[in-house]
Amino acid sequence: PDAAAAEAARARQAQLTKPPGSLGRLEELAAFMAAWQGTDRPKLDRAQALVFAGNHGVCAQGVNPFPQAVTGLMVANFEAGGAAINQLCRVAGAELTVIALDLARPTADFTHAPAMTEAECLAALNRGAAAVDPSADLLILGEMGIGNSTVSAALAHAICGGAPEDWVGRGTGSDAEGVARKREVVARGVARHAGLAPLHLLAAIGGREQAALCGAVLAARAARVPVMLDGYICTAAVAPLHGAAPGLLDHCLVGHLSAEPGHARLCSAMGKAPILDLGMALGEGTGAALALMVMRGALECHNGMATFAEAGISAA
Amino acid sequence: PDAAAAEAARARQAQLTKPPGSLGRLEELAAFMAAWQGTDRPKLDRAQALVFAGNHGVCAQGVNPFPQAVTGLMVANFEAGGAAINQLCRVAGAELTVIALDLARPTADFTHAPAMTEAECLAALNRGAAAVDPSADLLILGEMGIGNSTVSAALAHAICGGAPEDWVGRGTGSDAEGVARKREVVARGVARHAGLAPLHLLAAIGGREQAALCGAVLAARAARVPVMLDGYICTAAVAPLHGAAPGLLDHCLVGHLSAEPGHARLCSAMGKAPILDLGMALGEGTGAALALMVMRGALECHNGMATFAEAGISAA
């Protein structure tokens, strides 16, 4: 990040026609964008949204009330423009690309074996990295994958510790019995792969969309493209990067706090403060797309407001 | 409100391609708009933003570090397009009108006398009411007035009780000594007008922009136009309507939770849950304009998403 650009952005904020600090988080967002874009006047001409979809062998454990075929049906719905993320990208001004990752070949059931081989994990990482437009001003990330709230809980538990119940919620609609089953599956899976380093946990427990999200985050970092993560699934997907080196996620914001109960704990463990809290738990990048609108507001204020001098107002 | 339209909107939400309830607050916002617009497919073609400005005699008590002339200078800044609210209305798609209310003739100092006569209060109410476009799909309300965080604290204290310190914060930039002075002024002013009915408190303590905000809220209600209030000042301005009859504000949402510490308490007392919480405390309608973007997201999802049947997905 460019500390001088961030400092110049903060200096500009102090001159804009408002009491110092009164735009709150919007002022921080402008300085964050300045730091990563390397200019005191950051822009949002091009917002790229990437949604990665994958299928998970752990569904064999009965962790999700929906059949795995729904992942592919929802990908078709994304492509037809009928999902929530399509509407939100349109209104927020993001260009959406959906990438289905070998849906017909789910990962292995992580309670019995590593979910992915190293080669499979690397292939998905590379798919994610290759999808990033290095000229984007901001990258929105989202996902779809039946069963991936269980995968997320297992990743969060393996990386951040605690107990399985700290990380397991209702997902797409599990009842109390389903939640209990998810907890047991998470406990068993994490015990099966205990002791692995964070990036090996990504392969052992994660799925292809988790690996692709990590690849996209790393490619964005290399191109200094700031990233807006979505909710629980997205945050958990990149937890292995945080586990490997927390600074790897310095260019990432969390768009919204999910209604999944583990998300607040995970954000706290990873030092992230979500921008929105709207009781959402849909995934697809929907919370990140909404946060993009807040970011647009932040940059419009930063770049468009008059200074006290321009407005002829003496700052008391 | 049209309960049948709201129910039809909720029924539609249950058919959209997402787990039930997973869009959280966005689903509630769509049903709210359906109820007030009287249709299961609410729209946001026309968002009107009104910002009312006034000056306050209580500034004679030294409650604000800025001179009162700043109110007029900021109105000129609004008219020139240089303020935060101009940028946020542009990006959120709202048509902004700024109405300066007799700035050269501040209200009386409410620690010595009623701030407004009944005639002055009615005139401001009428100015506010007359400004509302009854054909708008949503009304955004904001304000500007040096000293009006003290006015707001006094109104909130008078209507909701508690202690002066529950309602007094730093406003546009008071230091600890300034906050102590504001508390003392609020205590004295509220004691001076104790026992008045809520609408008489509006005249005795409020200013012209507070009365205009009440008038706009009432005119919007008559036209069934839903309202997005801004932060602490806006919420406190309409607290007399809540005090008179809580249902008068059923068509009003609170756009954001202000960093002013009294706002959370006031929202709780008035049964309102702010949509955003971004640490802002600027006024002008800035938090309401940002919340308009969330509302746009809510309605785009509501109207644009495919149903499970349309997408050919069996809902489990």
Short mmCIF file of all heavy atoms in Angstrom, two decimals, chain A residues 223-257:
data_model
loop_
_atom_site.label_atom_id
_atom_site.label_comp_id
_atom_site.label_asym_id
_atom_site.label_seq_id
_atom_site.Cartn_x
_atom_site.Cartn_y
_atom_site.Cartn_z
N ALA A 223 -1.54 -7.22 -8.20
CA ALA A 223 -1.88 -6.11 -9.10
C ALA A 223 -2.31 -4.86 -8.32
O ALA A 223 -2.74 -3.88 -8.93
CB ALA A 223 -3.00 -6.53 -10.05
N ARG A 224 -2.21 -4.91 -7.01
CA ARG A 224 -2.68 -3.81 -6.13
C ARG A 224 -4.13 -3.44 -6.39
O ARG A 224 -4.51 -2.26 -6.34
CB ARG A 224 -1.77 -2.58 -6.26
CG ARG A 224 -0.37 -2.85 -5.74
CD ARG A 224 0.29 -1.64 -5.10
NE ARG A 224 0.00 -0.36 -5.71
CZ ARG A 224 0.64 0.76 -5.41
NH1 ARG A 224 1.62 0.75 -4.54
NH2 ARG A 224 0.30 1.88 -5.99
N VAL A 225 -4.95 -4.44 -6.65
CA VAL A 225 -6.40 -4.22 -6.78
C VAL A 225 -7.04 -4.49 -5.42
O VAL A 225 -6.93 -5.60 -4.91
CB VAL A 225 -7.02 -5.16 -7.84
CG1 VAL A 225 -8.54 -5.01 -7.86
CG2 VAL A 225 -6.42 -4.88 -9.21
N PRO A 226 -7.69 -3.49 -4.81
CA PRO A 226 -8.36 -3.76 -3.54
C PRO A 226 -9.54 -4.71 -3.73
O PRO A 226 -10.12 -4.77 -4.82
CB PRO A 226 -8.82 -2.37 -3.07
CG PRO A 226 -8.76 -1.49 -4.27
CD PRO A 226 -7.78 -2.09 -5.22
N VAL A 227 -9.86 -5.45 -2.68
CA VAL A 227 -10.85 -6.53 -2.76
C VAL A 227 -11.97 -6.30 -1.75
O VAL A 227 -11.71 -5.93 -0.60
CB VAL A 227 -10.18 -7.89 -2.48
CG1 VAL A 227 -11.21 -9.01 -2.36
CG2 VAL A 227 -9.16 -8.23 -3.57
N MET A 228 -13.20 -6.54 -2.19
CA MET A 228 -14.35 -6.54 -1.30
C MET A 228 -14.84 -7.98 -1.16
O MET A 228 -15.43 -8.53 -2.09
CB MET A 228 -15.46 -5.66 -1.86
CG MET A 228 -16.63 -5.44 -0.93
SD MET A 228 -16.25 -4.29 0.42
CE MET A 228 -16.35 -2.72 -0.47
N LEU A 229 -14.56 -8.59 -0.01
CA LEU A 229 -15.07 -9.93 0.26
C LEU A 229 -16.55 -9.84 0.62
O LEU A 229 -17.03 -8.80 1.08
CB LEU A 229 -14.30 -10.56 1.42
CG LEU A 229 -12.79 -10.72 1.23
CD1 LEU A 229 -12.13 -11.10 2.57
CD2 LEU A 229 -12.49 -11.79 0.18
N ASP A 230 -17.24 -10.96 0.46
CA ASP A 230 -18.66 -11.00 0.80
C ASP A 230 -18.80 -11.35 2.29
O ASP A 230 -18.28 -10.62 3.13
CB ASP A 230 -19.36 -11.99 -0.12
CG ASP A 230 -20.88 -11.93 -0.01
OD1 ASP A 230 -21.41 -10.90 0.39
OD2 ASP A 230 -21.53 -12.94 -0.35
N GLY A 231 -19.45 -12.44 2.62
CA GLY A 231 -19.75 -12.76 4.01
C GLY A 231 -18.96 -13.91 4.58
O GLY A 231 -17.74 -14.00 4.40
N TYR A 232 -19.66 -14.81 5.27
CA TYR A 232 -18.99 -15.86 6.03
C TYR A 232 -18.19 -16.80 5.14
O TYR A 232 -17.03 -17.11 5.43
CB TYR A 232 -20.04 -16.65 6.81
CG TYR A 232 -19.48 -17.69 7.75
CD1 TYR A 232 -18.43 -17.39 8.61
CD2 TYR A 232 -20.02 -18.97 7.79
CE1 TYR A 232 -17.94 -18.34 9.49
CE2 TYR A 232 -19.55 -19.92 8.68
CZ TYR A 232 -18.50 -19.60 9.52
OH TYR A 232 -18.01 -20.55 10.39
N ILE A 233 -18.79 -17.25 4.04
CA ILE A 233 -18.12 -18.25 3.20
C ILE A 233 -16.85 -17.66 2.59
O ILE A 233 -15.79 -18.30 2.57
CB ILE A 233 -19.06 -18.75 2.08
CG1 ILE A 233 -20.46 -19.06 2.62
CG2 ILE A 233 -18.46 -19.94 1.36
CD1 ILE A 233 -20.56 -20.16 3.59
N CYS A 234 -16.97 -16.42 2.09
CA CYS A 234 -15.80 -15.76 1.49
C CYS A 234 -14.70 -15.52 2.51
O CYS A 234 -13.51 -15.70 2.21
CB CYS A 234 -16.22 -14.40 0.93
SG CYS A 234 -16.46 -14.41 -0.84
N THR A 235 -15.09 -15.07 3.68
CA THR A 235 -14.09 -14.76 4.71
C THR A 235 -13.39 -16.04 5.15
O THR A 235 -12.16 -16.07 5.30
CB THR A 235 -14.76 -14.05 5.91
OG1 THR A 235 -15.58 -12.99 5.43
CG2 THR A 235 -13.70 -13.49 6.86
N ALA A 236 -14.17 -17.11 5.35
CA ALA A 236 -13.57 -18.37 5.75
C ALA A 236 -12.68 -18.93 4.65
O ALA A 236 -11.65 -19.57 4.92
CB ALA A 236 -14.67 -19.38 6.11
N ALA A 237 -13.06 -18.70 3.39
CA ALA A 237 -12.27 -19.23 2.27
C ALA A 237 -10.85 -18.68 2.28
O ALA A 237 -9.90 -19.39 1.94
CB ALA A 237 -12.96 -18.89 0.94
N VAL A 238 -10.71 -17.42 2.68
CA VAL A 238 -9.38 -16.82 2.68
C VAL A 238 -8.72 -16.88 4.05
O VAL A 238 -7.59 -16.38 4.21
CB VAL A 238 -9.41 -15.37 2.13
CG1 VAL A 238 -9.94 -15.38 0.69
CG2 VAL A 238 -10.25 -14.44 3.00
N ALA A 239 -9.37 -17.51 5.03
CA ALA A 239 -8.76 -17.66 6.35
C ALA A 239 -7.42 -18.40 6.28
O ALA A 239 -6.50 -18.06 7.04
CB ALA A 239 -9.72 -18.36 7.31
N PRO A 240 -7.25 -19.37 5.37
CA PRO A 240 -5.92 -20.00 5.27
C PRO A 240 -4.82 -18.98 4.89
O PRO A 240 -3.68 -19.13 5.36
CB PRO A 240 -6.11 -21.05 4.16
CG PRO A 240 -7.55 -21.42 4.26
CD PRO A 240 -8.25 -20.12 4.59
N LEU A 241 -5.15 -17.98 4.08
CA LEU A 241 -4.15 -16.95 3.77
C LEU A 241 -3.83 -16.14 5.03
O LEU A 241 -2.66 -15.83 5.30
CB LEU A 241 -4.65 -16.02 2.66
CG LEU A 241 -4.97 -16.67 1.30
CD1 LEU A 241 -5.44 -15.61 0.31
CD2 LEU A 241 -3.75 -17.40 0.77
N HIS A 242 -4.85 -15.83 5.80
CA HIS A 242 -4.64 -15.13 7.07
C HIS A 242 -3.77 -15.98 8.00
O HIS A 242 -2.86 -15.48 8.66
CB HIS A 242 -5.98 -14.83 7.73
CG HIS A 242 -5.85 -14.24 9.11
ND1 HIS A 242 -5.64 -12.90 9.33
CD2 HIS A 242 -5.88 -14.81 10.34
CE1 HIS A 242 -5.55 -12.68 10.63
NE2 HIS A 242 -5.70 -13.82 11.26
N GLY A 243 -4.07 -17.28 8.01
CA GLY A 243 -3.29 -18.18 8.86
C GLY A 243 -1.83 -18.25 8.42
O GLY A 243 -0.92 -18.35 9.25
N ALA A 244 -1.61 -18.16 7.11
CA ALA A 244 -0.24 -18.22 6.60
C ALA A 244 0.50 -16.92 6.90
O ALA A 244 1.67 -16.94 7.29
CB ALA A 244 -0.27 -18.48 5.09
N ALA A 245 -0.16 -15.80 6.72
CA ALA A 245 0.45 -14.49 6.98
C ALA A 245 -0.66 -13.45 6.96
O ALA A 245 -1.20 -13.13 5.89
CB ALA A 245 1.49 -14.15 5.90
N PRO A 246 -1.03 -12.91 8.12
CA PRO A 246 -2.20 -12.02 8.20
C PRO A 246 -2.12 -10.85 7.22
O PRO A 246 -3.15 -10.43 6.68
CB PRO A 246 -2.18 -11.53 9.65
CG PRO A 246 -1.48 -12.61 10.40
CD PRO A 246 -0.44 -13.16 9.45
N GLY A 247 -0.95 -10.34 6.96
CA GLY A 247 -0.82 -9.20 6.07
C GLY A 247 -1.26 -9.47 4.65
O GLY A 247 -1.52 -8.54 3.88
N LEU A 248 -1.37 -10.74 4.28
CA LEU A 248 -1.81 -11.08 2.92
C LEU A 248 -3.20 -10.56 2.61
O LEU A 248 -3.58 -10.45 1.44
CB LEU A 248 -1.82 -12.61 2.74
CG LEU A 248 -0.47 -13.29 2.54
CD1 LEU A 248 -0.65 -14.80 2.42
CD2 LEU A 248 0.22 -12.73 1.28
N LEU A 249 -3.97 -10.26 3.66
CA LEU A 249 -5.34 -9.79 3.44
C LEU A 249 -5.50 -8.29 3.72
O LEU A 249 -6.62 -7.79 3.83
CB LEU A 249 -6.32 -10.59 4.32
CG LEU A 249 -6.33 -12.10 4.08
CD1 LEU A 249 -7.36 -12.76 5.00
CD2 LEU A 249 -6.64 -12.44 2.63
N ASP A 250 -4.40 -7.58 3.81
CA ASP A 250 -4.49 -6.14 4.10
C ASP A 250 -5.25 -5.38 3.02
O ASP A 250 -5.79 -4.29 3.29
CB ASP A 250 -3.10 -5.52 4.25
CG ASP A 250 -2.47 -5.85 5.60
OD1 ASP A 250 -3.17 -6.42 6.46
OD2 ASP A 250 -1.27 -5.56 5.77
N HIS A 251 -5.27 -5.90 1.80
CA HIS A 251 -5.98 -5.20 0.71
C HIS A 251 -7.44 -5.63 0.61
O HIS A 251 -8.13 -5.26 -0.35
CB HIS A 251 -5.28 -5.46 -0.63
CG HIS A 251 -5.30 -6.91 -1.05
ND1 HIS A 251 -4.91 -7.95 -0.24
CD2 HIS A 251 -5.70 -7.49 -2.20
CE1 HIS A 251 -5.05 -9.09 -0.87
NE2 HIS A 251 -5.54 -8.85 -2.05
N CYS A 252 -7.90 -6.41 1.59
CA CYS A 252 -9.28 -6.94 1.55
C CYS A 252 -10.17 -6.29 2.60
O CYS A 252 -9.80 -6.20 3.77
CB CYS A 252 -9.27 -8.45 1.80
SG CYS A 252 -8.37 -9.39 0.56
N LEU A 253 -11.35 -5.88 2.18
CA LEU A 253 -12.41 -5.45 3.08
C LEU A 253 -13.46 -6.56 3.16
O LEU A 253 -13.57 -7.37 2.24
CB LEU A 253 -13.08 -4.18 2.55
CG LEU A 253 -12.17 -2.96 2.38
CD1 LEU A 253 -12.87 -1.90 1.53
CD2 LEU A 253 -11.78 -2.40 3.73
N VAL A 254 -14.22 -6.57 4.23
CA VAL A 254 -15.37 -7.49 4.33
C VAL A 254 -16.62 -6.65 4.14
O VAL A 254 -16.88 -5.71 4.89
CB VAL A 254 -15.38 -8.23 5.68
CG1 VAL A 254 -16.64 -9.07 5.81
CG2 VAL A 254 -14.14 -9.11 5.80
N GLY A 255 -17.41 -6.99 3.11
CA GLY A 255 -18.54 -6.14 2.71
C GLY A 255 -19.67 -6.10 3.71
O GLY A 255 -20.25 -5.05 3.96
N HIS A 256 -19.98 -7.26 4.29
CA HIS A 256 -21.11 -7.27 5.25
C HIS A 256 -20.90 -8.35 6.29
O HIS A 256 -20.19 -9.33 6.06
CB HIS A 256 -22.44 -7.49 4.52
CG HIS A 256 -22.75 -8.94 4.24
ND1 HIS A 256 -23.87 -9.57 4.75
CD2 HIS A 256 -22.08 -9.87 3.53
CE1 HIS A 256 -23.87 -10.85 4.34
NE2 HIS A 256 -22.82 -11.04 3.61
N LEU A 257 -21.54 -8.14 7.42
CA LEU A 257 -21.56 -9.15 8.48
C LEU A 257 -22.71 -10.10 8.20
O LEU A 257 -23.88 -9.70 8.15
CB LEU A 257 -21.76 -8.49 9.85
CG LEU A 257 -21.82 -9.46 11.03
CD1 LEU A 257 -20.49 -10.15 11.23
CD2 LEU A 257 -22.24 -8.74 12.30
#
